mmCIF file of all heavy atoms in Angstrom:
data_model
loop_
_atom_site.group_PDB
_atom_site.id
_atom_site.type_symbol
_atom_site.label_atom_id
_atom_site.label_comp_id
_atom_site.label_asym_id
_atom_site.label_seq_id
_atom_site.Cartn_x
_atom_site.Cartn_y
_atom_site.Cartn_z
ATOM 1 N N VAL Y 253 8.953 -16.557 -2.364
ATOM 2 C CA VAL Y 253 9.254 -16.037 -3.701
ATOM 3 C C VAL Y 253 10.638 -15.393 -3.765
ATOM 4 O O VAL Y 253 11.342 -15.538 -4.762
ATOM 5 C CB VAL Y 253 8.161 -15.049 -4.180
ATOM 6 C CG1 VAL Y 253 8.584 -14.298 -5.420
ATOM 7 C CG2 VAL Y 253 6.862 -15.793 -4.436
ATOM 8 N N LEU Y 254 11.035 -14.738 -2.717
ATOM 9 C CA LEU Y 254 12.330 -14.049 -2.736
ATOM 10 C C LEU Y 254 13.500 -14.975 -2.428
ATOM 11 O O LEU Y 254 14.618 -14.732 -2.879
ATOM 12 C CB LEU Y 254 12.309 -12.875 -1.753
ATOM 13 C CG LEU Y 254 11.218 -11.840 -2.016
ATOM 14 C CD1 LEU Y 254 11.210 -10.786 -0.929
ATOM 15 C CD2 LEU Y 254 11.396 -11.205 -3.384
ATOM 16 N N SER Y 255 13.263 -16.056 -1.696
ATOM 17 C CA SER Y 255 14.361 -16.926 -1.275
ATOM 18 C C SER Y 255 14.460 -18.227 -2.066
ATOM 19 O O SER Y 255 15.533 -18.810 -2.163
ATOM 20 C CB SER Y 255 14.227 -17.250 0.215
ATOM 21 O OG SER Y 255 12.994 -17.891 0.461
ATOM 22 N N ASN Y 256 13.381 -18.704 -2.645
ATOM 23 C CA ASN Y 256 13.372 -19.930 -3.428
ATOM 24 C C ASN Y 256 13.751 -19.587 -4.869
ATOM 25 O O ASN Y 256 13.065 -18.809 -5.531
ATOM 26 C CB ASN Y 256 11.986 -20.573 -3.362
ATOM 27 C CG ASN Y 256 11.892 -21.868 -4.110
ATOM 28 O OD1 ASN Y 256 12.184 -21.941 -5.299
ATOM 29 N ND2 ASN Y 256 11.457 -22.905 -3.411
ATOM 30 N N VAL Y 257 14.840 -20.163 -5.358
ATOM 31 C CA VAL Y 257 15.372 -19.801 -6.677
ATOM 32 C C VAL Y 257 14.364 -20.065 -7.786
ATOM 33 O O VAL Y 257 14.193 -19.233 -8.683
ATOM 34 C CB VAL Y 257 16.699 -20.550 -6.944
ATOM 35 C CG1 VAL Y 257 17.214 -20.272 -8.333
ATOM 36 C CG2 VAL Y 257 17.740 -20.179 -5.908
ATOM 37 N N ARG Y 258 13.683 -21.191 -7.758
ATOM 38 C CA ARG Y 258 12.704 -21.512 -8.805
ATOM 39 C C ARG Y 258 11.514 -20.555 -8.780
ATOM 40 O O ARG Y 258 11.079 -20.062 -9.813
ATOM 41 C CB ARG Y 258 12.217 -22.944 -8.658
ATOM 42 C CG ARG Y 258 13.248 -23.956 -9.067
ATOM 43 C CD ARG Y 258 12.708 -25.347 -8.961
ATOM 44 N NE ARG Y 258 13.649 -26.263 -9.591
ATOM 45 C CZ ARG Y 258 13.367 -27.494 -9.898
ATOM 46 N NH1 ARG Y 258 12.169 -27.974 -9.631
ATOM 47 N NH2 ARG Y 258 14.250 -28.261 -10.470
ATOM 48 N N LYS Y 259 10.986 -20.300 -7.610
ATOM 49 C CA LYS Y 259 9.845 -19.379 -7.502
ATOM 50 C C LYS Y 259 10.252 -17.973 -7.899
ATOM 51 O O LYS Y 259 9.487 -17.242 -8.527
ATOM 52 C CB LYS Y 259 9.276 -19.399 -6.083
ATOM 53 C CG LYS Y 259 8.563 -20.697 -5.762
ATOM 54 C CD LYS Y 259 7.974 -20.693 -4.386
ATOM 55 C CE LYS Y 259 7.305 -22.034 -4.119
ATOM 56 N NZ LYS Y 259 6.529 -22.040 -2.907
ATOM 57 N N ASN Y 260 11.472 -17.586 -7.553
ATOM 58 C CA ASN Y 260 11.970 -16.267 -7.931
ATOM 59 C C ASN Y 260 12.079 -16.160 -9.447
ATOM 60 O O ASN Y 260 11.723 -15.128 -10.030
ATOM 61 C CB ASN Y 260 13.314 -15.999 -7.251
ATOM 62 C CG ASN Y 260 13.751 -14.576 -7.424
ATOM 63 O OD1 ASN Y 260 14.447 -14.260 -8.381
ATOM 64 N ND2 ASN Y 260 13.328 -13.734 -6.506
ATOM 65 N N ALA Y 261 12.550 -17.211 -10.101
ATOM 66 C CA ALA Y 261 12.649 -17.210 -11.562
ATOM 67 C C ALA Y 261 11.273 -17.108 -12.205
ATOM 68 O O ALA Y 261 11.089 -16.392 -13.196
ATOM 69 C CB ALA Y 261 13.375 -18.467 -12.040
ATOM 70 N N VAL Y 262 10.285 -17.799 -11.646
ATOM 71 C CA VAL Y 262 8.915 -17.722 -12.175
ATOM 72 C C VAL Y 262 8.372 -16.303 -11.985
ATOM 73 O O VAL Y 262 7.757 -15.739 -12.893
ATOM 74 C CB VAL Y 262 7.988 -18.769 -11.506
ATOM 75 C CG1 VAL Y 262 6.536 -18.552 -11.902
ATOM 76 C CG2 VAL Y 262 8.441 -20.176 -11.863
ATOM 77 N N ALA Y 263 8.610 -15.711 -10.827
ATOM 78 C CA ALA Y 263 8.156 -14.336 -10.566
ATOM 79 C C ALA Y 263 8.815 -13.357 -11.534
ATOM 80 O O ALA Y 263 8.144 -12.449 -12.055
ATOM 81 C CB ALA Y 263 8.444 -13.948 -9.122
ATOM 82 N N LEU Y 264 10.093 -13.528 -11.812
ATOM 83 C CA LEU Y 264 10.779 -12.653 -12.771
ATOM 84 C C LEU Y 264 10.213 -12.831 -14.177
ATOM 85 O O LEU Y 264 10.067 -11.853 -14.922
ATOM 86 C CB LEU Y 264 12.281 -12.918 -12.755
ATOM 87 C CG LEU Y 264 13.013 -12.452 -11.508
ATOM 88 C CD1 LEU Y 264 14.469 -12.894 -11.533
ATOM 89 C CD2 LEU Y 264 12.920 -10.944 -11.343
ATOM 90 N N PHE Y 265 9.872 -14.059 -14.543
ATOM 91 C CA PHE Y 265 9.205 -14.320 -15.821
ATOM 92 C C PHE Y 265 7.881 -13.560 -15.884
ATOM 93 O O PHE Y 265 7.558 -12.916 -16.887
ATOM 94 C CB PHE Y 265 8.980 -15.826 -15.999
ATOM 95 C CG PHE Y 265 7.993 -16.169 -17.078
ATOM 96 C CD1 PHE Y 265 8.383 -16.204 -18.406
ATOM 97 C CD2 PHE Y 265 6.664 -16.461 -16.777
ATOM 98 C CE1 PHE Y 265 7.471 -16.509 -19.411
ATOM 99 C CE2 PHE Y 265 5.753 -16.773 -17.756
ATOM 100 C CZ PHE Y 265 6.163 -16.800 -19.086
ATOM 101 N N MET Y 266 7.103 -13.643 -14.816
ATOM 102 C CA MET Y 266 5.811 -12.959 -14.764
ATOM 103 C C MET Y 266 5.984 -11.448 -14.921
ATOM 104 O O MET Y 266 5.244 -10.799 -15.671
ATOM 105 C CB MET Y 266 5.101 -13.278 -13.446
ATOM 106 C CG MET Y 266 4.674 -14.725 -13.309
ATOM 107 S SD MET Y 266 4.227 -15.232 -11.623
ATOM 108 C CE MET Y 266 2.905 -14.098 -11.232
ATOM 109 N N ILE Y 267 6.963 -10.900 -14.223
ATOM 110 C CA ILE Y 267 7.210 -9.458 -14.282
ATOM 111 C C ILE Y 267 7.654 -9.039 -15.677
ATOM 112 O O ILE Y 267 7.195 -8.026 -16.219
ATOM 113 C CB ILE Y 267 8.244 -9.051 -13.213
ATOM 114 C CG1 ILE Y 267 7.630 -9.208 -11.823
ATOM 115 C CG2 ILE Y 267 8.761 -7.639 -13.438
ATOM 116 C CD1 ILE Y 267 8.630 -9.176 -10.689
ATOM 117 N N GLU Y 268 8.542 -9.828 -16.291
ATOM 118 C CA GLU Y 268 8.993 -9.482 -17.638
ATOM 119 C C GLU Y 268 7.837 -9.554 -18.629
ATOM 120 O O GLU Y 268 7.690 -8.685 -19.496
ATOM 121 C CB GLU Y 268 10.129 -10.396 -18.091
ATOM 122 C CG GLU Y 268 10.651 -10.004 -19.466
ATOM 123 C CD GLU Y 268 11.758 -10.886 -19.990
ATOM 124 O OE1 GLU Y 268 11.968 -11.993 -19.452
ATOM 125 O OE2 GLU Y 268 12.410 -10.476 -20.973
ATOM 126 N N LEU Y 269 7.002 -10.577 -18.516
ATOM 127 C CA LEU Y 269 5.854 -10.702 -19.408
ATOM 128 C C LEU Y 269 4.923 -9.496 -19.256
ATOM 129 O O LEU Y 269 4.474 -8.909 -20.245
ATOM 130 C CB LEU Y 269 5.110 -12.012 -19.129
ATOM 131 C CG LEU Y 269 3.934 -12.352 -20.039
ATOM 132 C CD1 LEU Y 269 4.368 -12.428 -21.499
ATOM 133 C CD2 LEU Y 269 3.302 -13.671 -19.616
ATOM 134 N N LEU Y 270 4.663 -9.099 -18.035
ATOM 135 C CA LEU Y 270 3.829 -7.914 -17.792
ATOM 136 C C LEU Y 270 4.471 -6.653 -18.361
ATOM 137 O O LEU Y 270 3.797 -5.828 -18.982
ATOM 138 C CB LEU Y 270 3.587 -7.736 -16.296
ATOM 139 C CG LEU Y 270 2.562 -8.663 -15.675
ATOM 140 C CD1 LEU Y 270 2.688 -8.676 -14.168
ATOM 141 C CD2 LEU Y 270 1.163 -8.259 -16.106
ATOM 142 N N THR Y 271 5.764 -6.507 -18.164
ATOM 143 C CA THR Y 271 6.485 -5.328 -18.655
ATOM 144 C C THR Y 271 6.392 -5.229 -20.172
ATOM 145 O O THR Y 271 6.223 -4.141 -20.724
ATOM 146 C CB THR Y 271 7.959 -5.377 -18.215
ATOM 147 O OG1 THR Y 271 8.003 -5.464 -16.792
ATOM 148 C CG2 THR Y 271 8.724 -4.164 -18.676
ATOM 149 N N LYS Y 272 6.489 -6.358 -20.851
ATOM 150 C CA LYS Y 272 6.423 -6.356 -22.315
ATOM 151 C C LYS Y 272 5.001 -6.109 -22.834
ATOM 152 O O LYS Y 272 4.825 -5.637 -23.943
ATOM 153 C CB LYS Y 272 6.968 -7.669 -22.874
ATOM 154 C CG LYS Y 272 8.474 -7.787 -22.717
ATOM 155 C CD LYS Y 272 8.969 -9.058 -23.336
ATOM 156 C CE LYS Y 272 10.465 -9.063 -23.457
ATOM 157 N NZ LYS Y 272 10.987 -8.115 -24.425
ATOM 158 N N CYS Y 273 4.004 -6.436 -22.024
ATOM 159 C CA CYS Y 273 2.605 -6.275 -22.450
ATOM 160 C C CYS Y 273 2.034 -4.905 -22.117
ATOM 161 O O CYS Y 273 1.205 -4.382 -22.858
ATOM 162 C CB CYS Y 273 1.731 -7.344 -21.804
ATOM 163 S SG CYS Y 273 2.059 -9.003 -22.388
ATOM 164 N N LEU Y 274 2.456 -4.339 -21.002
ATOM 165 C CA LEU Y 274 1.911 -3.057 -20.557
ATOM 166 C C LEU Y 274 2.739 -1.927 -21.149
ATOM 167 O O LEU Y 274 3.873 -1.710 -20.758
ATOM 168 C CB LEU Y 274 1.908 -2.974 -19.027
ATOM 169 C CG LEU Y 274 1.013 -3.983 -18.318
ATOM 170 C CD1 LEU Y 274 1.279 -3.966 -16.825
ATOM 171 C CD2 LEU Y 274 -0.444 -3.699 -18.608
ATOM 172 N N LYS Y 275 2.143 -1.197 -22.072
ATOM 173 C CA LYS Y 275 2.869 -0.121 -22.755
ATOM 174 C C LYS Y 275 2.584 1.253 -22.143
ATOM 175 O O LYS Y 275 3.425 2.119 -22.171
ATOM 176 C CB LYS Y 275 2.501 -0.100 -24.246
ATOM 177 C CG LYS Y 275 2.754 -1.404 -24.972
ATOM 178 C CD LYS Y 275 4.203 -1.770 -25.011
ATOM 179 C CE LYS Y 275 4.393 -3.024 -25.838
ATOM 180 N NZ LYS Y 275 5.719 -3.566 -25.771
ATOM 181 N N GLN Y 276 1.394 1.450 -21.605
ATOM 182 C CA GLN Y 276 0.997 2.736 -21.046
ATOM 183 C C GLN Y 276 0.597 2.560 -19.585
ATOM 184 O O GLN Y 276 -0.072 1.586 -19.243
ATOM 185 C CB GLN Y 276 -0.191 3.329 -21.821
ATOM 186 C CG GLN Y 276 0.101 3.626 -23.264
ATOM 187 C CD GLN Y 276 1.156 4.692 -23.444
ATOM 188 O OE1 GLN Y 276 1.212 5.646 -22.691
ATOM 189 N NE2 GLN Y 276 2.008 4.517 -24.433
ATOM 190 N N PRO Y 277 0.976 3.510 -18.737
ATOM 191 C CA PRO Y 277 0.571 3.416 -17.328
ATOM 192 C C PRO Y 277 -0.890 3.840 -17.154
ATOM 193 O O PRO Y 277 -1.209 5.018 -17.168
ATOM 194 C CB PRO Y 277 1.516 4.389 -16.618
ATOM 195 C CG PRO Y 277 1.878 5.390 -17.673
ATOM 196 C CD PRO Y 277 1.845 4.655 -18.979
ATOM 197 N N GLU Y 278 -1.757 2.860 -17.059
ATOM 198 C CA GLU Y 278 -3.173 3.156 -16.844
ATOM 199 C C GLU Y 278 -3.713 2.211 -15.777
ATOM 200 O O GLU Y 278 -3.211 1.110 -15.586
ATOM 201 C CB GLU Y 278 -3.970 3.021 -18.143
ATOM 202 C CG GLU Y 278 -3.866 1.658 -18.777
ATOM 203 C CD GLU Y 278 -4.515 1.609 -20.148
ATOM 204 O OE1 GLU Y 278 -4.215 2.474 -20.977
ATOM 205 O OE2 GLU Y 278 -5.309 0.684 -20.368
ATOM 206 N N ALA Y 279 -4.727 2.644 -15.086
ATOM 207 C CA ALA Y 279 -5.303 1.841 -14.010
ATOM 208 C C ALA Y 279 -6.047 0.640 -14.591
ATOM 209 O O ALA Y 279 -6.776 0.763 -15.566
ATOM 210 C CB ALA Y 279 -6.248 2.699 -13.185
ATOM 211 N N ASN Y 280 -5.819 -0.517 -13.979
ATOM 212 C CA ASN Y 280 -6.535 -1.725 -14.354
ATOM 213 C C ASN Y 280 -6.621 -2.590 -13.100
ATOM 214 O O ASN Y 280 -5.771 -3.439 -12.848
ATOM 215 C CB ASN Y 280 -5.818 -2.460 -15.490
ATOM 216 C CG ASN Y 280 -6.626 -3.623 -16.023
ATOM 217 O OD1 ASN Y 280 -7.466 -4.182 -15.325
ATOM 218 N ND2 ASN Y 280 -6.363 -3.995 -17.261
ATOM 219 N N ALA Y 281 -7.661 -2.362 -12.313
ATOM 220 C CA ALA Y 281 -7.806 -3.032 -11.023
ATOM 221 C C ALA Y 281 -7.908 -4.548 -11.175
ATOM 222 O O ALA Y 281 -7.309 -5.290 -10.390
ATOM 223 C CB ALA Y 281 -9.036 -2.493 -10.289
ATOM 224 N N GLU Y 282 -8.631 -5.021 -12.178
ATOM 225 C CA GLU Y 282 -8.774 -6.463 -12.368
ATOM 226 C C GLU Y 282 -7.429 -7.124 -12.643
ATOM 227 O O GLU Y 282 -7.129 -8.184 -12.084
ATOM 228 C CB GLU Y 282 -9.745 -6.764 -13.506
ATOM 229 C CG GLU Y 282 -11.190 -6.483 -13.159
ATOM 230 C CD GLU Y 282 -12.125 -6.838 -14.308
ATOM 231 O OE1 GLU Y 282 -11.749 -7.674 -15.167
ATOM 232 O OE2 GLU Y 282 -13.223 -6.285 -14.333
ATOM 233 N N LEU Y 283 -6.614 -6.509 -13.489
ATOM 234 C CA LEU Y 283 -5.284 -7.038 -13.776
ATOM 235 C C LEU Y 283 -4.416 -7.019 -12.518
ATOM 236 O O LEU Y 283 -3.718 -7.984 -12.221
ATOM 237 C CB LEU Y 283 -4.608 -6.245 -14.900
ATOM 238 C CG LEU Y 283 -3.171 -6.636 -15.232
ATOM 239 C CD1 LEU Y 283 -3.077 -8.093 -15.657
ATOM 240 C CD2 LEU Y 283 -2.624 -5.714 -16.325
ATOM 241 N N PHE Y 284 -4.478 -5.937 -11.758
ATOM 242 C CA PHE Y 284 -3.714 -5.840 -10.514
ATOM 243 C C PHE Y 284 -4.070 -6.978 -9.567
ATOM 244 O O PHE Y 284 -3.184 -7.654 -9.038
ATOM 245 C CB PHE Y 284 -3.954 -4.494 -9.825
ATOM 246 C CG PHE Y 284 -3.322 -4.430 -8.461
ATOM 247 C CD1 PHE Y 284 -1.973 -4.135 -8.320
ATOM 248 C CD2 PHE Y 284 -4.074 -4.688 -7.324
ATOM 249 C CE1 PHE Y 284 -1.384 -4.101 -7.061
ATOM 250 C CE2 PHE Y 284 -3.498 -4.652 -6.066
ATOM 251 C CZ PHE Y 284 -2.146 -4.354 -5.932
ATOM 252 N N TYR Y 285 -5.358 -7.220 -9.360
ATOM 253 C CA TYR Y 285 -5.777 -8.266 -8.432
ATOM 254 C C TYR Y 285 -5.426 -9.664 -8.955
ATOM 255 O O TYR Y 285 -5.103 -10.558 -8.168
ATOM 256 C CB TYR Y 285 -7.262 -8.146 -8.095
ATOM 257 C CG TYR Y 285 -7.556 -6.905 -7.287
ATOM 258 C CD1 TYR Y 285 -8.435 -5.942 -7.738
ATOM 259 C CD2 TYR Y 285 -6.903 -6.685 -6.075
ATOM 260 C CE1 TYR Y 285 -8.687 -4.790 -6.992
ATOM 261 C CE2 TYR Y 285 -7.140 -5.542 -5.321
ATOM 262 C CZ TYR Y 285 -8.031 -4.605 -5.793
ATOM 263 O OH TYR Y 285 -8.264 -3.466 -5.058
ATOM 264 N N PHE Y 286 -5.473 -9.852 -10.274
ATOM 265 C CA PHE Y 286 -5.059 -11.128 -10.852
ATOM 266 C C PHE Y 286 -3.577 -11.394 -10.565
ATOM 267 O O PHE Y 286 -3.198 -12.479 -10.120
ATOM 268 C CB PHE Y 286 -5.320 -11.149 -12.361
ATOM 269 C CG PHE Y 286 -4.673 -12.305 -13.072
ATOM 270 C CD1 PHE Y 286 -5.186 -13.588 -12.941
ATOM 271 C CD2 PHE Y 286 -3.549 -12.115 -13.864
ATOM 272 C CE1 PHE Y 286 -4.582 -14.669 -13.588
ATOM 273 C CE2 PHE Y 286 -2.943 -13.188 -14.510
ATOM 274 C CZ PHE Y 286 -3.463 -14.460 -14.372
ATOM 275 N N VAL Y 287 -2.736 -10.399 -10.806
ATOM 276 C CA VAL Y 287 -1.294 -10.556 -10.598
ATOM 277 C C VAL Y 287 -0.979 -10.718 -9.115
ATOM 278 O O VAL Y 287 -0.177 -11.584 -8.723
ATOM 279 C CB VAL Y 287 -0.512 -9.361 -11.206
ATOM 280 C CG1 VAL Y 287 0.967 -9.438 -10.854
ATOM 281 C CG2 VAL Y 287 -0.704 -9.320 -12.709
ATOM 282 N N GLU Y 288 -1.627 -9.932 -8.276
ATOM 283 C CA GLU Y 288 -1.413 -10.043 -6.829
ATOM 284 C C GLU Y 288 -1.793 -11.448 -6.344
ATOM 285 O O GLU Y 288 -1.029 -12.086 -5.602
ATOM 286 C CB GLU Y 288 -2.245 -8.985 -6.099
ATOM 287 C CG GLU Y 288 -2.094 -9.029 -4.589
ATOM 288 C CD GLU Y 288 -2.978 -8.011 -3.892
ATOM 289 O OE1 GLU Y 288 -4.173 -7.889 -4.260
ATOM 290 O OE2 GLU Y 288 -2.463 -7.337 -2.977
ATOM 291 N N ASP Y 289 -2.937 -11.941 -6.785
ATOM 292 C CA ASP Y 289 -3.383 -13.274 -6.394
ATOM 293 C C ASP Y 289 -2.427 -14.345 -6.920
ATOM 294 O O ASP Y 289 -2.099 -15.304 -6.212
ATOM 295 C CB ASP Y 289 -4.804 -13.522 -6.920
ATOM 296 C CG ASP Y 289 -5.389 -14.820 -6.422
ATOM 297 O OD1 ASP Y 289 -5.459 -15.000 -5.186
ATOM 298 O OD2 ASP Y 289 -5.757 -15.659 -7.266
ATOM 299 N N ALA Y 290 -1.955 -14.183 -8.160
ATOM 300 C CA ALA Y 290 -1.021 -15.144 -8.742
ATOM 301 C C ALA Y 290 0.275 -15.199 -7.935
ATOM 302 O O ALA Y 290 0.794 -16.288 -7.657
ATOM 303 C CB ALA Y 290 -0.732 -14.782 -10.199
ATOM 304 N N LEU Y 291 0.789 -14.052 -7.532
ATOM 305 C CA LEU Y 291 2.019 -14.022 -6.736
ATOM 306 C C LEU Y 291 1.821 -14.671 -5.367
ATOM 307 O O LEU Y 291 2.708 -15.373 -4.875
ATOM 308 C CB LEU Y 291 2.539 -12.598 -6.597
ATOM 309 C CG LEU Y 291 3.165 -12.011 -7.865
ATOM 310 C CD1 LEU Y 291 3.379 -10.509 -7.718
ATOM 311 C CD2 LEU Y 291 4.465 -12.719 -8.211
#
Side-chain angles (χ1 to χ4, degrees):
V253 169
L254 302 175
S255 59
N256 182 304
V257 176
R258 287 182 170 194
K259 290 182 181 189
N260 190 269
V262 172
L264 289 174
F265 164 82
M266 293 165 58
I267 291 165
E268 183 181 15
L269 184 58
L270 283 164
T271 303
K272 289 183 168 291
C273 292
L274 296 170
K275 303 296 184 189
Q276 298 296 323
E278 58 187 50
N280 187 335
E282 288 182 23
L283 176 59
F284 173 82
Y285 292 121
F286 168 74
V287 173
E288 180 183 45
D289 186 57
L291 287 168

